[in-house]
Amino acid sequence: MKHRSRPPEQDDLLRPRLVDMIDLRHELVKLAALIDWEVFEREWAGFFPSAT
């Protein structure tokens, strides 16, 4: 379940970036930083086969 590499980000004057809208002090943001996402990726990857 590897993600594709993205092209370098380019600022868009009409759309704010999501990372600029997220409150880094929010409880869910703090919780997401504590989760070991690689464990989920290893355990659940077989249920979501990659199209590539």
Side-chain angles (χ1 to χ4, degrees):
M1 205 155 89
K2 298 280 184 194
H3 64 282
R4 289 185 228 146
S5 59
R6 295 172 35 183
E9 291 188 27
Q10 190 173 22
D11 289 337
D12 186 343
L13 294 176
L14 302 177
R15 289 190 297 177
R17 295 175 48 203
L18 179 60
V19 71
D20 294 332
M21 298 182 338
I22 296 174
D23 180 4
L24 298 178
R25 298 169 298 176
H26 192 277
E27 301 86 29
L28 292 177
V29 176
K30 292 178 182 179
L31 178 62
L34 297 174
I35 294 174
D36 185 1
W37 293 107
E38 290 179 6
V39 171
F40 284 98
E41 185 173 334
R42 264 194 322 271
E43 296 296 323
W44 290 78
F47 295 105
F48 303 96
S50 175
T52 59

